[in-house]
Amino acid sequence: MEKWKKFLSLEIGIEIKACLYFALILFYYFLYCVLKGNLYASILLMAEIVLTAYAMSYLQVYALHNFDESERFNAKVAVLSLLCSALYTAVSYALRWYDRNLTATICFFGYMLLCYACTYLIFKIKRDIDTAHLNRELENFKKQREK
């Protein structure tokens, strides 16, 4: 039963991660479209983005050990952030998400690096809040037990 719970926890994490990165990439794509004067977005391209986000989320969770949720930001997290940003950028170029516009593609790489940094900070803040909450609950439990 514990293996099943661990599997479910990882899969839920993948769902959250895929949705987060999909939304971040979609925002950049919409911004690119608007700057080009185009108010229409390709549904096929959005499907490519969501499938890419899922594939990258599986890679990050199972092969790269959830590096964007690490306890500490270190060289390993930085290198893996560079790697995943480069992979997203390569896919975006290969699939013509930004019409193979080099400026848009290079900016997308920088944007993805920023996204990874922000995601790391978001998970760190959440972990700190959860830790403080658990510590308060433990203190309350100890006080009630002493009574």
Side-chain angles (χ1 to χ4, degrees), residues 40-54:
Y40 300 97
S42 166
I43 293 174
L44 178 61
L45 190 138
M46 285 187 251
E48 292 171 356
I49 292 172
V50 78
L51 290 173
T52 303
Y54 270 101

Side-chain angles (χ1 to χ4, degrees), residues 31-91:
L31 184 63
Y32 173 74
C33 288
V34 168
L35 290 176
K36 278 183 32 181
N38 182 5
L39 297 180
Y40 300 97
S42 166
I43 293 174
L44 178 61
L45 190 138
M46 285 187 251
E48 292 171 356
I49 292 172
V50 78
L51 290 173
T52 303
Y54 270 101
M56 288 294 293
S57 295
Y58 274 98
L59 175 72
Q60 284 177 227
V61 169
Y62 287 110
L64 304 178
H65 309 291
N66 257 344
F67 72 90
D68 58 345
E69 297 183 36
S70 293
E71 291 285 329
R72 291 193 175 86
F73 190 87
N74 54 27
K76 178 183 175 185
V77 173
V79 167
L80 292 175
S81 295
L82 282 166
L83 172 70
C84 287
S85 296
L87 286 171
Y88 270 120
T89 303
V91 170

Side-chain angles (χ1 to χ4, degrees), residues 129-142:
I129 291 168
D130 289 347
T131 299
H133 179 74
L134 286 172
N135 285 337
R136 276 193 307 276
E137 284 185 0
L138 180 61
E139 287 300 316
N140 289 337
F141 177 75
K142 285 180 182 178

